[in-house]
mmCIF file with all atom_site columns, all heavy atoms in Angstrom:
data_model
loop_
_atom_site.group_PDB
_atom_site.id
_atom_site.type_symbol
_atom_site.label_atom_id
_atom_site.label_alt_id
_atom_site.label_comp_id
_atom_site.label_asym_id
_atom_site.label_entity_id
_atom_site.label_seq_id
_atom_site.pdbx_PDB_ins_code
_atom_site.Cartn_x
_atom_site.Cartn_y
_atom_site.Cartn_z
_atom_site.occupancy
_atom_site.B_iso_or_equiv
_atom_site.pdbx_formal_charge
_atom_site.auth_seq_id
_atom_site.auth_comp_id
_atom_site.auth_asym_id
_atom_site.auth_atom_id
_atom_site.pdbx_PDB_model_num
ATOM   1   N N   . GLN A 1 12  ? 13.521 -5.689  -0.981  1.00 0.00 ? 880  GLN A N   1
ATOM   2   C CA  . GLN A 1 12  ? 12.115 -5.824  -1.369  1.00 0.00 ? 880  GLN A CA  1
ATOM   3   C C   . GLN A 1 12  ? 11.314 -6.636  -0.347  1.00 0.00 ? 880  GLN A C   1
ATOM   4   O O   . GLN A 1 12  ? 10.251 -6.216  0.094   1.00 0.00 ? 880  GLN A O   1
ATOM   5   C CB  . GLN A 1 12  ? 12.013 -6.500  -2.748  1.00 0.00 ? 880  GLN A CB  1
ATOM   6   C CG  . GLN A 1 12  ? 10.593 -6.508  -3.315  1.00 0.00 ? 880  GLN A CG  1
ATOM   7   C CD  . GLN A 1 12  ? 10.376 -7.573  -4.393  1.00 0.00 ? 880  GLN A CD  1
ATOM   8   O OE1 . GLN A 1 12  ? 11.189 -8.479  -4.565  1.00 0.00 ? 880  GLN A OE1 1
ATOM   9   N NE2 . GLN A 1 12  ? 9.283  -7.461  -5.108  1.00 0.00 ? 880  GLN A NE2 1
ATOM   10  N N   . LEU A 1 78  ? 20.399 -10.980 -6.364  1.00 0.00 ? 946  LEU A N   1
ATOM   11  C CA  . LEU A 1 78  ? 19.413 -11.737 -7.143  1.00 0.00 ? 946  LEU A CA  1
ATOM   12  C C   . LEU A 1 78  ? 19.976 -12.130 -8.520  1.00 0.00 ? 946  LEU A C   1
ATOM   13  O O   . LEU A 1 78  ? 21.097 -11.760 -8.873  1.00 0.00 ? 946  LEU A O   1
ATOM   14  C CB  . LEU A 1 78  ? 18.121 -10.936 -7.287  1.00 0.00 ? 946  LEU A CB  1
ATOM   15  C CG  . LEU A 1 78  ? 17.379 -10.618 -5.991  1.00 0.00 ? 946  LEU A CG  1
ATOM   16  C CD1 . LEU A 1 78  ? 16.052 -9.938  -6.282  1.00 0.00 ? 946  LEU A CD1 1
ATOM   17  C CD2 . LEU A 1 78  ? 17.128 -11.878 -5.158  1.00 0.00 ? 946  LEU A CD2 1
ATOM   18  N N   . SER A 1 79  ? 19.142 -12.848 -9.281  1.00 0.00 ? 947  SER A N   1
ATOM   19  C CA  . SER A 1 79  ? 19.645 -13.538 -10.486 1.00 0.00 ? 947  SER A CA  1
ATOM   20  C C   . SER A 1 79  ? 20.343 -12.647 -11.510 1.00 0.00 ? 947  SER A C   1
ATOM   21  O O   . SER A 1 79  ? 21.448 -12.966 -11.964 1.00 0.00 ? 947  SER A O   1
ATOM   22  C CB  . SER A 1 79  ? 18.496 -14.286 -11.158 1.00 0.00 ? 947  SER A CB  1
ATOM   23  O OG  . SER A 1 79  ? 17.438 -13.400 -11.464 1.00 0.00 ? 947  SER A OG  1
ATOM   24  N N   . ALA A 1 80  ? 19.716 -11.525 -11.877 1.00 0.00 ? 948  ALA A N   1
ATOM   25  C CA  . ALA A 1 80  ? 20.290 -10.712 -12.964 1.00 0.00 ? 948  ALA A CA  1
ATOM   26  C C   . ALA A 1 80  ? 21.558 -9.998  -12.493 1.00 0.00 ? 948  ALA A C   1
ATOM   27  O O   . ALA A 1 80  ? 22.588 -10.001 -13.186 1.00 0.00 ? 948  ALA A O   1
ATOM   28  C CB  . ALA A 1 80  ? 19.252 -9.711  -13.467 1.00 0.00 ? 948  ALA A CB  1
ATOM   29  N N   . SER A 1 116 ? 15.198 -19.402 -0.265  1.00 0.00 ? 984  SER A N   1
ATOM   30  C CA  . SER A 1 116 ? 15.731 -19.969 -1.501  1.00 0.00 ? 984  SER A CA  1
ATOM   31  C C   . SER A 1 116 ? 14.840 -19.461 -2.641  1.00 0.00 ? 984  SER A C   1
ATOM   32  O O   . SER A 1 116 ? 14.098 -18.486 -2.457  1.00 0.00 ? 984  SER A O   1
ATOM   33  C CB  . SER A 1 116 ? 15.762 -21.492 -1.430  1.00 0.00 ? 984  SER A CB  1
ATOM   34  O OG  . SER A 1 116 ? 16.408 -22.002 -2.579  1.00 0.00 ? 984  SER A OG  1
ATOM   35  N N   . SER A 1 117 ? 14.926 -20.076 -3.809  1.00 0.00 ? 985  SER A N   1
ATOM   36  C CA  . SER A 1 117 ? 14.267 -19.504 -4.990  1.00 0.00 ? 985  SER A CA  1
ATOM   37  C C   . SER A 1 117 ? 13.988 -20.593 -6.013  1.00 0.00 ? 985  SER A C   1
ATOM   38  O O   . SER A 1 117 ? 14.664 -21.634 -6.029  1.00 0.00 ? 985  SER A O   1
ATOM   39  C CB  . SER A 1 117 ? 15.203 -18.449 -5.594  1.00 0.00 ? 985  SER A CB  1
ATOM   40  O OG  . SER A 1 117 ? 14.876 -18.177 -6.920  1.00 0.00 ? 985  SER A OG  1
ATOM   41  N N   . ILE A 1 118 ? 13.040 -20.303 -6.919  1.00 0.00 ? 986  ILE A N   1
ATOM   42  C CA  . ILE A 1 118 ? 12.817 -21.196 -8.071  1.00 0.00 ? 986  ILE A CA  1
ATOM   43  C C   . ILE A 1 118 ? 14.067 -21.279 -8.937  1.00 0.00 ? 986  ILE A C   1
ATOM   44  O O   . ILE A 1 118 ? 14.159 -22.145 -9.800  1.00 0.00 ? 986  ILE A O   1
ATOM   45  C CB  . ILE A 1 118 ? 11.633 -20.722 -8.936  1.00 0.00 ? 986  ILE A CB  1
ATOM   46  C CG1 . ILE A 1 118 ? 11.832 -19.254 -9.363  1.00 0.00 ? 986  ILE A CG1 1
ATOM   47  C CG2 . ILE A 1 118 ? 10.310 -20.907 -8.204  1.00 0.00 ? 986  ILE A CG2 1
ATOM   48  C CD1 . ILE A 1 118 ? 10.974 -18.828 -10.545 1.00 0.00 ? 986  ILE A CD1 1
ATOM   49  N N   . ALA A 1 119 ? 15.040 -20.393 -8.688  1.00 0.00 ? 987  ALA A N   1
ATOM   50  C CA  . ALA A 1 119 ? 16.299 -20.410 -9.453  1.00 0.00 ? 987  ALA A CA  1
ATOM   51  C C   . ALA A 1 119 ? 17.153 -21.640 -9.156  1.00 0.00 ? 987  ALA A C   1
ATOM   52  O O   . ALA A 1 119 ? 18.141 -21.883 -9.842  1.00 0.00 ? 987  ALA A O   1
ATOM   53  C CB  . ALA A 1 119 ? 17.106 -19.147 -9.149  1.00 0.00 ? 987  ALA A CB  1
ATOM   54  N N   . TYR A 1 142 ? 23.323 -17.289 -9.185  1.00 0.00 ? 1010 TYR A N   1
ATOM   55  C CA  . TYR A 1 142 ? 22.320 -17.142 -8.122  1.00 0.00 ? 1010 TYR A CA  1
ATOM   56  C C   . TYR A 1 142 ? 21.699 -18.509 -7.791  1.00 0.00 ? 1010 TYR A C   1
ATOM   57  O O   . TYR A 1 142 ? 21.614 -18.917 -6.632  1.00 0.00 ? 1010 TYR A O   1
ATOM   58  C CB  . TYR A 1 142 ? 21.260 -16.152 -8.610  1.00 0.00 ? 1010 TYR A CB  1
ATOM   59  C CG  . TYR A 1 142 ? 20.061 -15.955 -7.725  1.00 0.00 ? 1010 TYR A CG  1
ATOM   60  C CD1 . TYR A 1 142 ? 20.181 -15.404 -6.454  1.00 0.00 ? 1010 TYR A CD1 1
ATOM   61  C CD2 . TYR A 1 142 ? 18.776 -16.282 -8.183  1.00 0.00 ? 1010 TYR A CD2 1
ATOM   62  C CE1 . TYR A 1 142 ? 19.058 -15.191 -5.665  1.00 0.00 ? 1010 TYR A CE1 1
ATOM   63  C CE2 . TYR A 1 142 ? 17.660 -16.069 -7.408  1.00 0.00 ? 1010 TYR A CE2 1
ATOM   64  C CZ  . TYR A 1 142 ? 17.804 -15.525 -6.142  1.00 0.00 ? 1010 TYR A CZ  1
ATOM   65  O OH  . TYR A 1 142 ? 16.692 -15.313 -5.370  1.00 0.00 ? 1010 TYR A OH  1
ATOM   66  N N   . TYR A 1 169 ? 11.100 -19.063 -3.025  1.00 0.00 ? 1037 TYR A N   1
ATOM   67  C CA  . TYR A 1 169 ? 10.195 -18.018 -3.520  1.00 0.00 ? 1037 TYR A CA  1
ATOM   68  C C   . TYR A 1 169 ? 10.143 -18.017 -5.041  1.00 0.00 ? 1037 TYR A C   1
ATOM   69  O O   . TYR A 1 169 ? 11.169 -18.119 -5.697  1.00 0.00 ? 1037 TYR A O   1
ATOM   70  C CB  . TYR A 1 169 ? 10.682 -16.632 -3.103  1.00 0.00 ? 1037 TYR A CB  1
ATOM   71  C CG  . TYR A 1 169 ? 10.560 -16.262 -1.647  1.00 0.00 ? 1037 TYR A CG  1
ATOM   72  C CD1 . TYR A 1 169 ? 11.667 -15.792 -0.955  1.00 0.00 ? 1037 TYR A CD1 1
ATOM   73  C CD2 . TYR A 1 169 ? 9.349  -16.316 -0.968  1.00 0.00 ? 1037 TYR A CD2 1
ATOM   74  C CE1 . TYR A 1 169 ? 11.585 -15.403 0.373   1.00 0.00 ? 1037 TYR A CE1 1
ATOM   75  C CE2 . TYR A 1 169 ? 9.258  -15.928 0.365   1.00 0.00 ? 1037 TYR A CE2 1
ATOM   76  C CZ  . TYR A 1 169 ? 10.376 -15.482 1.028   1.00 0.00 ? 1037 TYR A CZ  1
ATOM   77  O OH  . TYR A 1 169 ? 10.293 -15.091 2.342   1.00 0.00 ? 1037 TYR A OH  1
ATOM   78  N N   . PRO A 1 170 ? 8.945  -17.826 -5.584  1.00 0.00 ? 1038 PRO A N   1
ATOM   79  C CA  . PRO A 1 170 ? 8.828  -17.494 -7.011  1.00 0.00 ? 1038 PRO A CA  1
ATOM   80  C C   . PRO A 1 170 ? 9.077  -15.990 -7.182  1.00 0.00 ? 1038 PRO A C   1
ATOM   81  O O   . PRO A 1 170 ? 9.522  -15.340 -6.239  1.00 0.00 ? 1038 PRO A O   1
ATOM   82  C CB  . PRO A 1 170 ? 7.375  -17.872 -7.320  1.00 0.00 ? 1038 PRO A CB  1
ATOM   83  C CG  . PRO A 1 170 ? 6.651  -17.784 -6.023  1.00 0.00 ? 1038 PRO A CG  1
ATOM   84  C CD  . PRO A 1 170 ? 7.661  -17.929 -4.903  1.00 0.00 ? 1038 PRO A CD  1
ATOM   85  N N   . GLY A 1 171 ? 8.802  -15.411 -8.348  1.00 0.00 ? 1039 GLY A N   1
ATOM   86  C CA  . GLY A 1 171 ? 8.895  -13.965 -8.520  1.00 0.00 ? 1039 GLY A CA  1
ATOM   87  C C   . GLY A 1 171 ? 7.914  -13.287 -7.584  1.00 0.00 ? 1039 GLY A C   1
ATOM   88  O O   . GLY A 1 171 ? 6.766  -13.719 -7.469  1.00 0.00 ? 1039 GLY A O   1
ATOM   89  N N   . LEU A 1 172 ? 8.349  -12.222 -6.901  1.00 0.00 ? 1040 LEU A N   1
ATOM   90  C CA  . LEU A 1 172 ? 7.481  -11.560 -5.912  1.00 0.00 ? 1040 LEU A CA  1
ATOM   91  C C   . LEU A 1 172 ? 7.102  -10.159 -6.375  1.00 0.00 ? 1040 LEU A C   1
ATOM   92  O O   . LEU A 1 172 ? 7.957  -9.402  -6.848  1.00 0.00 ? 1040 LEU A O   1
ATOM   93  C CB  . LEU A 1 172 ? 8.186  -11.492 -4.556  1.00 0.00 ? 1040 LEU A CB  1
ATOM   94  C CG  . LEU A 1 172 ? 8.540  -12.842 -3.930  1.00 0.00 ? 1040 LEU A CG  1
ATOM   95  C CD1 . LEU A 1 172 ? 9.199  -12.650 -2.571  1.00 0.00 ? 1040 LEU A CD1 1
ATOM   96  C CD2 . LEU A 1 172 ? 7.324  -13.756 -3.813  1.00 0.00 ? 1040 LEU A CD2 1
ATOM   97  N N   . GLY A 1 181 ? 17.082 -6.298  -8.978  1.00 0.00 ? 1049 GLY A N   1
ATOM   98  C CA  . GLY A 1 181 ? 18.014 -7.061  -9.814  1.00 0.00 ? 1049 GLY A CA  1
ATOM   99  C C   . GLY A 1 181 ? 17.619 -8.487  -10.124 1.00 0.00 ? 1049 GLY A C   1
ATOM   100 O O   . GLY A 1 181 ? 18.473 -9.332  -10.385 1.00 0.00 ? 1049 GLY A O   1
ATOM   101 N N   . GLY A 1 182 ? 16.318 -8.779  -10.135 1.00 0.00 ? 1050 GLY A N   1
ATOM   102 C CA  . GLY A 1 182 ? 15.871 -10.132 -10.479 1.00 0.00 ? 1050 GLY A CA  1
ATOM   103 C C   . GLY A 1 182 ? 15.381 -10.227 -11.913 1.00 0.00 ? 1050 GLY A C   1
ATOM   104 O O   . GLY A 1 182 ? 15.205 -9.215  -12.595 1.00 0.00 ? 1050 GLY A O   1
ATOM   105 N N   . THR A 1 183 ? 15.121 -11.467 -12.341 1.00 0.00 ? 1051 THR A N   1
ATOM   106 C CA  . THR A 1 183 ? 14.601 -11.719 -13.688 1.00 0.00 ? 1051 THR A CA  1
ATOM   107 C C   . THR A 1 183 ? 13.091 -11.527 -13.724 1.00 0.00 ? 1051 THR A C   1
ATOM   108 O O   . THR A 1 183 ? 12.509 -11.279 -14.776 1.00 0.00 ? 1051 THR A O   1
ATOM   109 C CB  . THR A 1 183 ? 14.988 -13.166 -14.091 1.00 0.00 ? 1051 THR A CB  1
ATOM   110 O OG1 . THR A 1 183 ? 16.410 -13.249 -14.011 1.00 0.00 ? 1051 THR A OG1 1
ATOM   111 C CG2 . THR A 1 183 ? 14.533 -13.523 -15.484 1.00 0.00 ? 1051 THR A CG2 1
ATOM   112 N N   . THR A 1 184 ? 12.456 -11.648 -12.572 1.00 0.00 ? 1052 THR A N   1
ATOM   113 C CA  . THR A 1 184 ? 10.998 -11.506 -12.512 1.00 0.00 ? 1052 THR A CA  1
ATOM   114 C C   . THR A 1 184 ? 10.561 -10.056 -12.242 1.00 0.00 ? 1052 THR A C   1
ATOM   115 O O   . THR A 1 184 ? 9.371  -9.794  -12.120 1.00 0.00 ? 1052 THR A O   1
ATOM   116 C CB  . THR A 1 184 ? 10.425 -12.421 -11.403 1.00 0.00 ? 1052 THR A CB  1
ATOM   117 O OG1 . THR A 1 184 ? 11.055 -12.081 -10.161 1.00 0.00 ? 1052 THR A OG1 1
ATOM   118 C CG2 . THR A 1 184 ? 10.685 -13.890 -11.697 1.00 0.00 ? 1052 THR A CG2 1
ATOM   119 N N   . ASP A 1 185 ? 11.529 -9.130  -12.169 1.00 0.00 ? 1053 ASP A N   1
ATOM   120 C CA  . ASP A 1 185 ? 11.217 -7.735  -11.798 1.00 0.00 ? 1053 ASP A CA  1
ATOM   121 C C   . ASP A 1 185 ? 10.229 -7.053  -12.759 1.00 0.00 ? 1053 ASP A C   1
ATOM   122 O O   . ASP A 1 185 ? 9.574  -6.080  -12.385 1.00 0.00 ? 1053 ASP A O   1
ATOM   123 C CB  . ASP A 1 185 ? 12.490 -6.866  -11.780 1.00 0.00 ? 1053 ASP A CB  1
ATOM   124 C CG  . ASP A 1 185 ? 13.460 -7.264  -10.680 1.00 0.00 ? 1053 ASP A CG  1
ATOM   125 O OD1 . ASP A 1 185 ? 13.231 -8.297  -10.037 1.00 0.00 ? 1053 ASP A OD1 1
ATOM   126 O OD2 . ASP A 1 185 ? 14.451 -6.547  -10.483 1.00 0.00 ? 1053 ASP A OD2 1
ATOM   127 N N   . PRO A 1 211 ? 6.572  -18.704 -12.539 1.00 0.00 ? 1079 PRO A N   1
ATOM   128 C CA  . PRO A 1 211 ? 5.801  -18.743 -11.283 1.00 0.00 ? 1079 PRO A CA  1
ATOM   129 C C   . PRO A 1 211 ? 5.952  -17.412 -10.535 1.00 0.00 ? 1079 PRO A C   1
ATOM   130 O O   . PRO A 1 211 ? 7.055  -16.869 -10.451 1.00 0.00 ? 1079 PRO A O   1
ATOM   131 C CB  . PRO A 1 211 ? 6.480  -19.866 -10.480 1.00 0.00 ? 1079 PRO A CB  1
ATOM   132 C CG  . PRO A 1 211 ? 7.412  -20.553 -11.427 1.00 0.00 ? 1079 PRO A CG  1
ATOM   133 C CD  . PRO A 1 211 ? 7.763  -19.567 -12.484 1.00 0.00 ? 1079 PRO A CD  1
ATOM   134 N N   . ILE A 1 274 ? 17.846 -16.598 -18.656 1.00 0.00 ? 1142 ILE A N   1
ATOM   135 C CA  . ILE A 1 274 ? 17.658 -17.010 -17.253 1.00 0.00 ? 1142 ILE A CA  1
ATOM   136 C C   . ILE A 1 274 ? 16.213 -17.506 -17.077 1.00 0.00 ? 1142 ILE A C   1
ATOM   137 O O   . ILE A 1 274 ? 15.978 -18.592 -16.542 1.00 0.00 ? 1142 ILE A O   1
ATOM   138 C CB  . ILE A 1 274 ? 17.940 -15.840 -16.283 1.00 0.00 ? 1142 ILE A CB  1
ATOM   139 C CG1 . ILE A 1 274 ? 19.373 -15.313 -16.455 1.00 0.00 ? 1142 ILE A CG1 1
ATOM   140 C CG2 . ILE A 1 274 ? 17.663 -16.268 -14.838 1.00 0.00 ? 1142 ILE A CG2 1
ATOM   141 C CD1 . ILE A 1 274 ? 19.718 -14.100 -15.577 1.00 0.00 ? 1142 ILE A CD1 1
ATOM   142 N N   . TRP A 1 278 ? 14.157 -21.564 -16.062 1.00 0.00 ? 1146 TRP A N   1
ATOM   143 C CA  . TRP A 1 278 ? 13.378 -21.775 -14.831 1.00 0.00 ? 1146 TRP A CA  1
ATOM   144 C C   . TRP A 1 278 ? 12.046 -22.481 -15.109 1.00 0.00 ? 1146 TRP A C   1
ATOM   145 O O   . TRP A 1 278 ? 11.540 -22.460 -16.227 1.00 0.00 ? 1146 TRP A O   1
ATOM   146 C CB  . TRP A 1 278 ? 13.090 -20.414 -14.168 1.00 0.00 ? 1146 TRP A CB  1
ATOM   147 C CG  . TRP A 1 278 ? 14.296 -19.789 -13.522 1.00 0.00 ? 1146 TRP A CG  1
ATOM   148 C CD1 . TRP A 1 278 ? 15.523 -20.367 -13.348 1.00 0.00 ? 1146 TRP A CD1 1
ATOM   149 C CD2 . TRP A 1 278 ? 14.385 -18.469 -12.972 1.00 0.00 ? 1146 TRP A CD2 1
ATOM   150 N NE1 . TRP A 1 278 ? 16.366 -19.478 -12.720 1.00 0.00 ? 1146 TRP A NE1 1
ATOM   151 C CE2 . TRP A 1 278 ? 15.700 -18.317 -12.474 1.00 0.00 ? 1146 TRP A CE2 1
ATOM   152 C CE3 . TRP A 1 278 ? 13.493 -17.414 -12.849 1.00 0.00 ? 1146 TRP A CE3 1
ATOM   153 C CZ2 . TRP A 1 278 ? 16.132 -17.141 -11.868 1.00 0.00 ? 1146 TRP A CZ2 1
ATOM   154 C CZ3 . TRP A 1 278 ? 13.919 -16.244 -12.234 1.00 0.00 ? 1146 TRP A CZ3 1
ATOM   155 C CH2 . TRP A 1 278 ? 15.223 -16.111 -11.751 1.00 0.00 ? 1146 TRP A CH2 1
HETATM 156 C C1  . AKB B 2 .   ? 14.858 -13.272 -9.332  1.00 0.00 ? 1215 AKB B C1  1
HETATM 157 O O1  . AKB B 2 .   ? 14.194 -13.024 -10.357 1.00 0.00 ? 1215 AKB B O1  1
HETATM 158 O O2  . AKB B 2 .   ? 16.089 -13.372 -9.319  1.00 0.00 ? 1215 AKB B O2  1
HETATM 159 C C2  . AKB B 2 .   ? 14.109 -13.507 -8.042  1.00 0.00 ? 1215 AKB B C2  1
HETATM 160 C C3  . AKB B 2 .   ? 13.858 -14.957 -7.806  1.00 0.00 ? 1215 AKB B C3  1
HETATM 161 C C4  . AKB B 2 .   ? 12.876 -15.682 -8.637  1.00 0.00 ? 1215 AKB B C4  1
HETATM 162 O O3  . AKB B 2 .   ? 14.451 -15.531 -6.940  1.00 0.00 ? 1215 AKB B O3  1
HETATM 163 N N1  . AKB B 2 .   ? 12.888 -12.778 -8.045  1.00 0.00 ? 1215 AKB B N1  1
#
Side-chain angles (χ1 to χ4, degrees):
Q880 188 201 14
L946 297 185
S947 56
S984 186
S985 160
I986 54 162
Y1010 174 64
Y1037 289 127
L1040 299 182
T1051 302
T1052 57
D1053 293 8
I1142 301 177
W1146 287 352

